[in-house]
């Protein structure tokens, strides 16, 4: 009985709340597009920096000024990893962002858009954590 009461109390406590923000830049890696017969090529995002924000059960990726990059909706999976998805026109785009302990970010993106088959693609990039930011 005592264990049941303790378990109930622990389950009633709110889940750990995460709050963090990172500045991300220098994303580069590989990409593969349908129009190129899915052959992997070198790819990168030039001259751009982003904020990855986790605040409780909310997450976002924005410009440095705080504007959303897209209509993607993100959710945190942990204190350092988020996943986002966007569906339109019968297609779906899914992104993951994960900050490592050695000040890197791992980014993946999958676009499966039958109506625009030529942009159906996958990307896998590594970037730098340039620092922490104000939320």
């Amino acid at each position: 009985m005592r264990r049941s009461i303790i378990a109930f109390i622990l389950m009633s406590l709110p889940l750990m709340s995460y709050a963090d923000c990172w500045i991300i830049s220098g994303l580069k890696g590989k990409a593969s597009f349908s129009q190129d017969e899915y052959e992997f090529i070198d790819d990168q995002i030039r001259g751009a920096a982003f904020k990855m924000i986790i605040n409780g059960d909310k997450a976002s990726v924005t410009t440095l000024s705080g504007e959303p990059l897209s209509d993607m909706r993100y959710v945190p999976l942990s204190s350092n990893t988020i996943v986002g998805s966007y569906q339109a026109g019968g297609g779906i785009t899914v992104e993951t962002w994960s900050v490592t302990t050695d000040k890197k970010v791992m980014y993946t993106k999958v676009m499966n858009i039958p109506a625009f088959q030529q942009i159906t693609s996958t990307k896998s990039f590594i970037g730098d954590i340039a620092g922490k930011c104000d939320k």
Side-chain angles (χ1 to χ4, degrees), residues 17-32:
S17 180
Y18 305 118
D20 223 330
C21 179
W22 299 271
I23 297 173
I24 296 167
S25 64
L27 287 165
K28 59 185 171 183
K30 297 286 186 179
S32 176

Side-chain angles (χ1 to χ4, degrees), residues 47-67:
F50 311 101
K51 286 183 183 180
M52 179 179 133
I53 304 164
I54 297 176
N55 192 356
D57 63 352
K58 297 184 184 340
S60 61
V61 177
T62 70
T63 64
L64 291 181
S65 63
E67 298 296 318

Side-chain angles (χ1 to χ4, degrees), residues 3-30:
R3 285 186 181 166
S4 296
I5 292 171
I6 292 172
F8 177 76
I9 290 170
L10 290 175
M11 290 173 33
S12 298
L13 295 175
L15 294 175
M16 187 182 319
S17 180
Y18 305 118
D20 223 330
C21 179
W22 299 271
I23 297 173
I24 296 167
S25 64
L27 287 165
K28 59 185 171 183
K30 297 286 186 179

Side-chain angles (χ1 to χ4, degrees), residues 2-135:
R2 183 182 219 180
R3 285 186 181 166
S4 296
I5 292 171
I6 292 172
F8 177 76
I9 290 170
L10 290 175
M11 290 173 33
S12 298
L13 295 175
L15 294 175
M16 187 182 319
S17 180
Y18 305 118
D20 223 330
C21 179
W22 299 271
I23 297 173
I24 296 167
S25 64
L27 287 165
K28 59 185 171 183
K30 297 286 186 179
S32 176
F33 294 86
S34 170
Q35 69 183 12
D36 296 325
E37 298 181 16
Y38 298 107
E39 185 173 322
F40 279 95
I41 59 170
D42 291 334
D43 197 5
Q44 63 183 321
I45 299 175
R46 296 176 194 248
F50 311 101
K51 286 183 183 180
M52 179 179 133
I53 304 164
I54 297 176
N55 192 356
D57 63 352
K58 297 184 184 340
S60 61
V61 177
T62 70
T63 64
L64 291 181
S65 63
E67 298 296 318
L69 292 178
S70 67
D71 292 331
M72 183 94 44
R73 294 185 181 250
Y74 295 94
V75 294
L77 299 180
S78 70
S79 64
N80 65 341
T81 301
I82 66 176
V83 64
S85 67
Y86 175 75
Q87 294 185 47
I92 187 165
T93 301
V94 177
E95 291 183 350
T96 59
W97 298 79
S98 188
V99 175
T100 69
T101 57
D102 57 349
K103 296 186 179 178
K104 296 290 183 182
V105 64
M106 297 179 289
Y107 166 74
T108 64
K109 182 175 190 174
V110 172
M111 295 175 67
N112 188 356
I113 306 174
F116 298 102
Q117 186 63 31
Q118 68 274 16
I119 63 171
T120 292
S121 59
T122 186
K123 296 181 180 201
S124 181
F125 291 170
I126 300 292
D128 299 312
I129 298 298
K132 296 281 192 133
C133 50
D134 294 329
K135 292 166 221 52

